[in-house]
Amino acid sequence: QKEVEQNSGPLSVPEGAIASLNCTYSDRGSQSFFWYRQYSGKSPELIMFIYSNGDKEDGRFTAQLNKASQYVSLLIRDSQPSDSATYLCAVNVAGGYNKLIFGAGTRLAVHP
Amino acid sequence: GAGVSQSPRYKVAKRGQDVALRCDPISGHVSLFWYQQALGQGPEFLTYFQNEAQLDKSGLPSDRFFAERPEGSVSTLKIQRTQQEDSAVYLCASSPPGRTDHNSPLHFGNGTRLTVT
């Protein structure tokens, strides 16, 4: 069974701090990694994707990938209360089409 | 709008009833996925279409679940003889063709929240 593991949280950070969200995956053949944000009662919204080892930055968000350790993370700088949501890590299933396996998500709470 | 459209937004069914959930993907997206999301969990894969062909239905939990996409555009997920454990949000997602070296992101619709009483 291919798995994606995330700490369920809640992760509580003060406004303006850096939030660090982590994810591990079991399929060594996975090549594509995605972070989705999901507000309560809403559908998942893509915020970052990363395909290569290293860091990828987009505004306040940085995705980090380490394929050797099978680890992907998301850093949110200058966290805002509006960032409070569940963050879903998704990993493609190797050797086929665009099927994604999702973790259970980490709930982030940014308090003023 | 240009996003993935799902209907109905909410559905309440009595146990034993049949339901049909509709998904209209983004125009030009050949790949279409159905996911099931239980409360507090991540989305779980149900089935995948490439155009009209259903290439993977390994996630369908039982033979009460059936999906189709007859013309390679709109898709319908049908659940027969609904049970309480079918209560969940059903998400449809579509994606354009990916490159050979990496995958395209999935774009999700707003989902259908099914409650079986």
Side-chain angles (χ1 to χ4, degrees):
Chain A
Q1 175 71 11
K2 303 197 189 317
E3 293 183 347
V4 177
E5 301 285 344
Q6 295 182 256
N7 187 321
S8 62
L11 173 66
S12 183
V13 301
E15 185 174 357
I18 296 175
S20 178
L21 305 161
N22 304 314
C23 171
T24 59
Y25 60 95
S26 63
D27 186 355
R28 283 200 167 275
S30 294
Q31 296 294 326
S32 305
F33 308 87
F34 305 88
W35 283 99
Y36 285 82
R37 177 176 62 198
Q38 188 172 30
Y39 292 113
S40 181
K42 301 295 185 183
S43 62
E45 170 193 11
L46 178 72
I47 53 172
M48 288 286 289
F49 58 88
I50 186 166
Y51 304 131
S52 303
N53 276 329
D55 294 0
K56 178 183 178 182
E57 186 174 318
D58 184 1
R60 295 187 296 114
F61 299 98
T62 298
Q64 300 175 315
L65 174 62
N66 183 327
K67 291 184 181 178
S69 300
Q70 295 173 249
Y71 176 92
V72 58
S73 65
L74 179 70
L75 301 178
I76 306 175
R77 289 181 300 282
D78 188 23
S79 296
Q80 301 297 310
S82 58
D83 294 326
S84 298
T86 295
Y87 289 79
L88 299 165
C89 173
V91 177
N92 82 294
V93 174
Y97 56 93
N98 202 15
K99 178 178 179 178
L100 297 187
I101 301 297
F102 285 81
T106 298
R107 190 156 59 90
L108 172 67
V110 181
H111 54 87
Chain B
V4 178
S5 178
Q6 290 188 249
S7 62
R9 188 76 176 87
Y10 302 93
K11 178 68 178 177
V12 178
K14 291 189 188 308
R15 189 162 56 95
Q17 282 185 331
D18 298 349
V19 298
L21 313 179
R22 175 189 167 102
C23 172
D24 197 344
I26 294 172
S27 178
H29 282 193
V30 300
S31 297
L32 185 146
F33 300 79
W34 285 98
Y35 282 80
Q36 179 191 60
Q37 187 173 24
L39 191 64
Q41 299 298 314
E44 296 278 347
F45 171 81
L46 293 178
T47 188
Y48 161 68
F49 289 87
Q50 182 173 324
N51 296 306
E52 70 279 4
Q54 188 176 22
L55 299 185
D56 187 343
K57 53 183 181 180
S58 62
L60 296 177
S62 77
D63 58 8
R64 296 186 295 104
F65 286 71
F66 172 77
E68 60 182 5
R69 193 186 185 196
E71 297 178 358
S73 178
V74 171
S75 177
T76 303
L77 176 67
K78 298 179 180 177
I79 309 173
Q80 297 176 323
R81 305 181 304 281
T82 52
Q83 304 294 315
Q84 283 192 315
E85 62 262 29
D86 300 334
S87 296
V89 175
Y90 290 85
L91 294 165
C92 177
S94 68
S95 72
R99 291 165 38 169
T100 55
D101 56 342
H102 62 247
N103 302 80
S104 301
L106 300 188
H107 301 267
F108 284 90
N110 286 327
T112 294
R113 182 177 297 276
L114 173 65
T115 303
V116 181
T117 61

